[in-house]
Amino acid sequence: MEGKLLYTVTEAAQALSMGRSKVYEMVRDGVIPSVKIDGCRRVKASALLAYVEGIGEAA
């Protein structure tokens, strides 16, 4: 992560090595929290890190 605070869904997908549609699905389902700023969906860097750190913990 390059020190950015907010990512577009496309940038978040690239950072997670996932498809954009999958990340939109995860945002819609509340798996990855997001915010809407003037109609633009953004994902906090801290939300991406929290998701990555939580992978595998529920299994």
Side-chain angles (χ1 to χ4, degrees):
M1 314 235 26
E2 322 147 349
K4 291 175 74 168
L5 297 175
L6 294 173
Y7 290 84
T8 65
V9 173
T10 301
E11 291 170 335
Q14 291 171 345
L16 295 171
S17 298
M18 294 182 165
R20 187 175 58 91
S21 296
K22 181 62 177 176
V23 175
Y24 269 113
E25 178 184 319
M26 295 168 74
V27 165
R28 183 190 71 228
D29 294 343
V31 176
I32 297 176
S34 67
V35 295
K36 214 168 188 188
I37 302 172
D38 291 333
C40 298
R41 180 73 52 193
R42 296 291 183 260
V43 179
K44 292 181 180 181
S46 59
L48 293 178
L49 291 172
Y51 169 74
V52 170
E53 289 174 2
I55 292 175
E57 289 184 9

